[in-house]
Amino acid sequence: MTIQTQTQTIKFLDLQKINQQYKTELLNACEQVINSGWYIRGEQNKNLEKNFADYLGCQFCVGVSNGLDALRLIFRAYKELGKLRDGDAVIVPANTYIASVLAISDNNLQPIFVEPNYQTMLLDENCVEQEIAKNRNIKAILAVHLYGQVCEMQSLNEIAKKNNLILVEDAAQAHGAKLASLQNKMAGNLGDAAGFSFYPGKNLGALGDAGAITTNYKELAEVIQILSNYGSQQKYVNKYQGFNNRLDEIQAAMLAVKLKYLDQEISARQRVAKYYLENIKNEATILPTLHNKNAFLNNHSFHLFVLKIKHNRREEFQKYLLENEIAKVETLIHYPIAPHNQQAYKNYNNLSLNLPITEQLQNEVVSLPMSSVMSEEEVKKVVEVVNSFK
């Protein structure tokens, strides 16, 4: 009699297992909110905002409804302060998630798509300078810390200062990431303002939608706080045509619990990444290239671990991993269609020939399982399966 054993499936991300670690504390925090009778912008919000600002080393934090709204509110606040106007141009990496671009166009600003560096996949500061030299209408730069690695913000700050530009961080994937060249300062404290997403799958994830804005500028923080509350600071008195982008107390309470363990979560991810980097040896793949290699494991928060697959074999690679007898390994693509190729931005579809690196990346990148709760056995099996792909 032959006994058939079921092949193990290694999930791309096991959110249930991640949150199970903190279940008791999360339930207690939820009960506190229920018992308080205050569910919008109360003590839980104040506590999270203070603790997150302290964690990043910046002065101000405003909790908001999600990461997209965080970026939207930053640009809208700069318009209310007279620093940006309709039609102004904002540099954005072409290989980002569409939310980065939506935040710009939703404010009647013009996205200027700029190529990333092929090795790091982060915004290329040389391309930024070239674009600024060509376009006098550029008033801001949106630096996206993609996959958990910080852009070269020292250079971008110098460029922004020299050209009198606003420098905004899209830190939606970079909670706890650092930059060695700026004394290990954290993402979210490296530009004029930063937008964070607390989407459940992030390193610091809520149990629903949530986001935050961080800055060291008091006036900007105050305008953002007002804009996100219908444009009102005093009830029924509206200073701006604002929005309802408030963070609710339940999500603030969940995040306050999980913030205490963020460094622990990142350390676990770094251990997984270290094993991948040292043991994946397959000529069909290109491992992540990390700037400042001597310190990268202490700086990269590894929200994602992204390989490049050579010779147009990504689909074959993903199919092989998912159907393998050693273990069925789930993968995802971040991102298969660049914003300028989306129907939503059809007026930019003709940019493909001008963005060859972005075009190449959208056909090569694939993300391996990455989380703080992967077992040593699972990590080893992922490597074994990847290395067995011929």
Side-chain angles (χ1 to χ4, degrees):
M1 179 178 177
T2 303
I3 299 175
Q4 292 186 335
T5 57
Q6 189 173 4
T7 304
Q8 178 186 10
T9 297
I10 300 176
K11 293 183 178 182
F12 180 78
L13 181 64
D14 192 338
L15 285 178
Q16 184 179 21
K17 190 174 181 181
I18 289 172
N19 288 317
Q20 191 71 28
Q21 304 171 102
Y22 316 119
K23 183 177 178 179
T24 300
E25 287 185 72
L26 292 171
L27 287 172
N28 289 340
C30 185
E31 185 176 19
Q32 288 176 24
V33 174
I34 294 169
N35 291 340
S36 75
W38 192 286
Y39 308 120
I40 298 289
R41 278 197 171 167
E43 291 304 314
Q44 296 289 347
N45 265 258
K46 292 176 185 176
N47 177 52
L48 175 66
E49 289 171 345
K50 180 186 184 303
N51 289 345
F52 195 53
D54 289 347
Y55 175 79
L56 299 179
C58 65
Q59 293 188 47
F60 305 103
C61 174
V62 181
V64 295
S65 43
N66 56 65
L68 171 56
D69 288 341
L71 293 174
R72 278 181 177 144
L73 285 162
I74 291 169
F75 288 116
R76 176 61 180 272
Y78 275 120
K79 291 182 74 177
E80 295 291 353
L81 290 168
K83 304 288 181 69
L84 292 173
R85 294 175 174 81
D86 283 0
D88 284 346
V90 180
I91 283 177
V92 62
N95 64 321
T96 188
Y97 183 56
I98 198 168
S100 310
V101 187
L102 288 169
I104 297 168
S105 59
D106 283 357
N107 279 288
N108 294 318
L109 303 169
Q110 179 190 1
I112 303 296
F113 295 102
V114 172
E115 287 273 66
N117 176 291
Y118 178 76
Q119 279 72 37
T120 65
M121 297 181 280
L122 299 174
L123 185 62
D124 189 322
E125 55 267 29
N126 295 318
C127 293
V128 169
E129 287 197 288
Q130 292 168 14
E131 200 61 47
I132 291 170
K134 293 188 295 183
N135 190 338
R136 294 183 179 180
N137 194 40
I138 292 170
K139 304 299 180 186
I141 301 168
L142 180 57
V144 182
H145 305 316
L146 203 62
Y147 308 144
Q149 183 169 210
V150 179
C151 295
E152 191 42 75
M153 292 296 289
Q154 187 168 6
S155 298
L156 290 174
N157 269 294
E158 290 169 1
I159 293 168
K161 185 176 181 180
K162 180 173 67 176
N163 294 282
N164 194 30
L165 304 179
I166 295 165
L167 179 56
V168 178
E169 299 173 75
D170 182 341
Q173 299 185 0
H175 318 70
K178 303 171 187 174
L179 187 60
S181 60
L182 284 175
Q183 293 77 48
N184 283 339
K185 286 179 72 174
M186 286 193 174
N189 190 25
L190 295 167
D192 295 311
F196 283 89
S197 166
F198 299 129
Y199 181 77
K202 305 297 185 182
N203 289 18
L204 178 57
L207 273 69
D209 269 324
I213 297 156
T214 56
T215 184
N216 289 307
Y217 295 99
K218 183 178 180 181
E219 186 180 24
L220 180 67
E222 288 175 346
V223 174
I224 288 168
Q225 186 88 20
I226 296 168
L227 280 170
S228 62
N229 185 42
Y230 298 99
S232 174
Q233 190 174 25
Q234 178 184 347
K235 196 168 185 177
Y236 303 129
V237 179
N238 299 80
K239 186 174 182 179
Y240 306 114
Q241 295 179 25
F243 315 94
N244 178 8
N245 296 138
R246 301 171 302 194
L247 175 61
D248 72 73
E249 286 285 276
I250 289 284
Q251 296 307 332
M254 302 296 100
L255 288 163
V257 169
K258 296 181 71 176
L259 177 59
K260 296 184 295 183
Y261 301 101
L262 179 55
D263 286 343
Q264 176 181 307
E265 291 273 330
I266 292 171
S267 293
R269 288 170 175 268
Q270 289 169 339
R271 287 193 294 271
V272 175
K274 186 173 189 290
Y275 192 85
Y276 282 167
L277 288 165
E278 291 177 350
N279 293 280
I280 291 177
K281 301 181 189 305
N282 188 317
E283 292 184 356
T285 69
I286 301 174
L287 290 166
T289 301
L290 307 152
H291 60 60
N292 197 6
K293 290 181 181 179
N294 292 333
F296 76 86
L297 272 177
N298 295 323
N299 295 329
H300 198 312
S301 63
F302 288 102
H303 170 58
L304 297 170
F305 189 94
V306 181
L307 296 175
K308 304 184 191 89
I309 307 301
K310 301 177 187 176
H311 311 306
N312 297 314
R313 298 185 67 197
R314 182 175 65 187
E315 185 176 345
E316 182 186 350
F317 177 80
Q318 286 189 284
K319 186 174 186 291
Y320 178 83
L321 264 62
L322 192 59
E323 297 177 355
N324 198 273
E325 292 182 0
I326 299 169
K328 299 180 185 298
V329 179
E330 296 179 348
T331 59
L332 288 176
I333 301 171
H334 298 87
Y335 301 97
I337 306 174
H340 70 274
N341 286 326
Q342 299 281 0
Q343 175 66 20
Y345 286 103
K346 58 186 176 183
N347 292 340
Y348 294 92
N349 289 173
N350 61 350
L351 290 179
S352 294
L353 292 177
N354 298 329
L355 299 167
I357 295 174
T358 299
E359 294 288 316
Q360 183 176 353
L361 287 173
Q362 74 175 2
N363 293 315
E364 289 183 347
V365 294
V366 62
S367 302
L368 295 182
M370 168 56 71
S371 83
S372 60
V373 295
M374 290 182 71
S375 68
E376 185 177 339
E377 179 192 8
E378 287 176 322
V379 177
K380 287 181 176 179
K381 281 190 174 181
V382 170
V383 170
E384 185 180 356
V385 175
V386 170
N387 286 344
S388 67
F389 176 71
K390 305 297 182 184

